[in-house]
Amino acid sequence: MKLARVGAAGAERPAIVGLDGRVRDLSAHVAEIDGRLLAAERLARISAIDPATLPVVEGPVRFGPPIARPGKIICIGLNYTDHAAEVGLDVPTEPTIFMKGCVPTGANDPVRLPRDAEKGDWEVELGIIIGRDGLYIDEDDALAHVGGYCVLNDVSERSYQMEHGGQWTKGKSFPGFAPIGPWLVTPDEIADPGNLSIWLEVNGHRYQNGTTRNLVFSVAQMVSYVSRFYALEAGDLIATGTPAGVGLGQKPPVFLKAGDVMKLGIDGLGVQEQKVIAWGD
């Protein structure tokens, strides 16, 4: 299933995207799409609904974040072999973890650069949405804790990340730096999350053109590993890292400026598009 939240910011309502691509209103059956909804038994009840019986959402549709009130955003750094190589760092022997401290925004909402932005950058990532609480999750059981997958743009301000004390979280947490969606896709539709094409363009130029086959750590390994350090809760989001092609890795580096348009997607998970705007716009 493809589950979404549609409507104006702060007034989104639950929806499902049918096989015909039409967006249909789920609000008569579901109050909200949140972590509690992602339990397997609740998803089974939704999947039993015939989308053709639901009203079509008419007109231009804004896709808000597909999960309401998400919990933690836990990020895995340097998790693609080609990205580690482009930034000149060794492939980690254990997952590198940092936090993203902003609230997710809709897939096509504008991305506003900070007031003193110098090195805005892009990172297309596979997002794992946790569907079942867990601590010390065995790797063999890890996929049972996944409630869905989504596209995530880990927008970054590299000057904050690398030139103000070396703390990655500083460069990742400005408001609007976590577009997710346009929808979440339940695991039954993703046969192998380790075999998906993943790409990003800026102004029509394809900078990132990768595959999750190049992940250093698999989805199961990441969920299990993270649960050693955090009590994972339904609705938490794990950002799994980005392939080669970020702005910082270009020669010379290329950074975002007002007026740029980012477009990104992952096989089976949809496409995002964001216009970059300046502080004050």
Side-chain angles (χ1 to χ4, degrees):
M1 288 184 296
K2 294 180 175 67
L3 299 176
R5 299 173 64 250
V6 300
E12 296 93 345
R13 60 189 187 278
I16 188 168
V17 182
L19 294 176
D20 60 1
R22 303 180 85 179
V23 180
R24 295 179 180 270
D25 194 325
L26 258 181
S27 57
H29 299 270
V30 172
E32 184 58 282
I33 296 175
D34 55 19
R36 294 168 297 179
L37 184 73
L38 299 181
E41 61 276 10
R42 296 194 68 189
L43 287 177
R45 289 198 292 270
I46 296 172
S47 67
I49 300 169
D50 180 0
T53 65
L54 302 173
V56 173
V57 179
E58 302 288 356
V61 176
R62 173 189 174 267
F63 289 96
I67 184 82
R69 299 181 293 277
K72 303 177 287 292
I73 304 180
I74 303 166
C75 303
I76 310 297
L78 299 176
N79 198 31
Y80 281 78
T81 54
D82 53 358
H83 177 52
E86 79 171 337
V87 294
L89 296 173
D90 293 335
V91 173
T93 57
E94 293 188 38
T96 300
I97 296 176
F98 62 95
M99 302 296 289
K100 198 168 180 71
C102 54
V103 175
T105 53
N108 303 315
D109 292 348
V111 169
R112 178 176 282 107
L113 297 174
R115 180 172 54 195
D116 51 354
E118 300 173 357
K119 299 178 180 178
D121 207 345
W122 56 82
E123 296 190 9
V124 59
E125 306 204 8
L126 171 67
I128 304 168
I129 301 173
I130 298 299
R132 196 174 93 197
D133 297 357
L135 184 65
Y136 296 119
I137 299 168
D138 289 336
E139 192 173 315
D140 289 344
D141 188 42
L143 294 184
H145 288 260
V146 176
Y149 299 100
C150 67
V151 182
L152 181 146
N153 190 354
D154 180 19
V155 184
S156 309
E157 172 52 46
R158 300 297 189 190
S159 66
Y160 290 0
Q161 178 183 348
M162 306 174 71
E163 299 166 16
H164 293 270
Q167 172 50 257
W168 287 9
T169 298
K170 290 178 186 175
K172 305 285 188 170
S173 301
F174 193 75
F177 272 19
I180 63 173
W183 40 70
L184 71 83
V185 180
T186 51
D188 57 293
E189 289 200 11
I190 305 299
D192 182 2
N195 187 24
L196 302 173
S197 294
I198 178 170
W199 56 272
L200 181 143
E201 299 173 352
V202 179
N203 301 331
H205 178 81
R206 184 159 294 198
Y207 284 97
Q208 295 187 274
N209 197 25
T211 170
T212 58
R213 291 193 300 273
N214 287 336
L215 282 166
V216 178
F217 303 102
S218 71
V219 169
Q221 288 173 322
M222 285 183 275
V223 171
S224 176
Y225 184 86
V226 168
S227 77
R228 292 167 51 184
F229 306 96
Y230 300 87
L232 289 175
E233 299 176 312
D236 285 349
L237 180 62
I238 299 177
T240 61
T242 197
V246 300
L248 180 66
Q250 306 302 308
K251 300 186 186 307
V254 176
F255 296 117
L256 294 168
K257 62 185 183 303
D260 287 345
V261 176
M262 295 180 283
K263 189 172 184 179
L264 55 148
I266 301 176
D267 274 357
L269 300 182
V271 173
Q272 301 184 355
E273 183 172 312
Q274 300 110 24
K275 182 177 181 180
V276 178
I277 60 177
W279 177 259
D281 288 353

